[in-house]
Amino acid sequence: MRLSLRLLGLPVVLGMVAVQPAWGQMGLEVINVTTDPDGTQTYSVTLQILLLLTLLSLLPSALVMLTAFTRIIIVLGLLRQGMGTSQTPSNQILIGLALFLTLFVMTPVFDEMYIVAVEPYIAEELSAEQAVLEATGPLREFMLAQTRESDLAMFARISGHDGFESPDDVPFSLLVPSFIISEVKTGFQIGFLILIPFLIIDLVVASVLMSMGMMMLSPLIISLPFKVMLFVLVDGWALIMGTLASSFFI
C-alpha cells in the first residue's frame, strides 16, 4: 500500500521539479508584496487572484446570509408547509424564486457598491483593500436597516462592547450575526401570519369530518383543495412576493 502511494506521488514530485526551473526562467512571482512610497502595500497579480478565488468560495454563504435570501426562503418554505403540498413547488423552484426576488431587492445595493467600489478599482483609483472597504458601506447600511436593536445589543453585550456612538462604529463581525438573527425572526413572523388562514381551514374541515363521523378520513386530503382554491382566488403569489419585497423598503 505504501509502495503504491509512493509510485502515485512520484510523477507529481517529478513534475514539480521539472516545472520549477521554467518558473524561474519566466520570472513568475507567486507571492510578492511591495511597499509604496506613501506606505501602502501592493500585492502581486498572482496573490490577488488567489485572494479572489478564496473570496469566491465564500460567495454562496455571503449570498445566503448577508442578503434578503434568508427571510424570503423561510417564508416560502412555511407557505408550502401551510398549504400541505410537500413537494409542490419543488425545492428548485422555491430557491429560484428566492434568488430572483433577492436580486430584485438587492439591486440598489449592488448598484451602489459597483459605483463606489468596482468602478474606481477598475480605473485604478482605489487599491484592492480600499475597494473592499468602500464596497462594505452600502451593504452595512442595508444590514443595519434590517437589524433589530435588541439583537445588536445582545451580541454587543456578549462580545463585551458597552455601546456605539454611531452606526459606523458597529464592527462587521458583530453586525453579521445580529442581521442573521433578525432576518430569521422576521421570516418566522411573516410565515406565522401566512399560516393562520390555512390553520383555520384545517380546523374547520377537521370539525366537519368529526361531526359527520368520518374520523378515519385524513382532514389534509379534504382541506388541500380548499387551501389551494383560497390561495389562487386571493392571488396569493402576488401578495406574498409583494409583501416580501416591500418589507425590505419600509
Side-chain angles (χ1 to χ4, degrees):
M1 184 66 179
R2 293 181 179 177
L3 181 59
S4 61
L5 291 176
R6 292 177 181 177
L7 292 176
L8 289 174
L10 183 59
V12 178
V13 176
L14 292 178
M16 294 175 61
V17 173
V19 172
Q20 185 175 1
W23 283 357
Q25 293 175 3
M26 295 173 58
L28 181 61
E29 298 175 351
V30 180
I31 298 177
N32 185 21
V33 181
T34 58
T35 303
D36 298 331
D38 56 355
T40 60
Q41 292 182 339
T42 303
Y43 300 95
S44 62
V45 177
T46 308
L47 184 57
Q48 293 182 16
I49 294 175
L50 178 62
L51 293 175
L52 179 61
L53 292 177
T54 304
L55 292 176
L56 287 178
S57 65
L58 301 175
L59 185 60
S61 299
L63 178 63
V64 170
M65 306 310 298
L66 303 183
T67 61
F69 183 85
T70 302
R71 182 190 305 185
I72 295 171
I73 196 64
I74 288 176
V75 172
L76 294 180
L78 291 176
L79 170 64
R80 185 177 66 178
Q81 187 73 22
M83 292 183 64
T85 55
S86 58
Q87 296 296 330
T88 305
S90 62
N91 292 331
Q92 292 82 357
I93 295 177
L94 290 185
I95 293 174
L97 287 173
L99 281 175
F100 281 101
L101 189 58
T102 300
L103 181 61
F104 171 78
V105 173
M106 300 298 296
T107 294
V109 180
F110 292 155
D111 290 341
E112 189 175 355
M113 292 172 65
Y114 182 83
I115 293 173
V116 302
V118 179
E119 285 185 348
Y121 177 73
I122 295 176
E124 298 182 355
E125 298 176 358
L126 294 176
S127 63
E129 296 85 354
Q130 293 173 342
V132 172
L133 291 176
E134 292 293 333
T136 56
L139 187 60
R140 282 176 58 90
E141 293 180 2
F142 171 80
M143 295 172 65
L144 283 170
Q146 308 300 326
T147 303
R148 290 179 171 85
E149 294 183 1
S150 59
D151 297 329
L152 195 61
M154 179 188 67
F155 283 101
R157 184 178 64 256
I158 294 174
S159 60
H161 291 83
D162 296 333
F164 305 101
E165 297 181 357
S166 64
D168 296 333
D169 297 333
V170 179
F172 202 73
S173 59
L174 184 64
L175 178 59
V176 170
S178 305
F179 171 76
I180 294 173
I181 294 300
S182 296
E183 285 296 286
V184 172
K185 286 182 180 180
T186 305
F188 274 95
Q189 288 177 354
I190 298 175
F192 171 75
L193 296 177
I194 294 174
L195 290 176
I196 291 177
F198 299 125
L199 177 62
I200 294 175
I201 293 177
D202 288 334
L203 291 176
V204 172
V205 171
S207 300
V208 172
L209 291 178
M210 287 289 291
S211 63
M212 296 177 63
M214 299 180 179
M215 293 177 293
M216 301 300 294
L217 183 62
S218 175
L220 296 178
I221 300 176
I222 307 300
S223 63
L224 178 60
F226 292 99
K227 289 189 287 188
V228 173
M229 180 183 64
L230 173 65
F231 193 72
V232 172
L233 290 177
V234 300
D235 197 6
W237 285 112
L239 290 176
I240 296 297
M241 293 300 176
T243 301
L244 284 173
S246 61
S247 65
F248 291 95
F249 298 101
I250 296 177

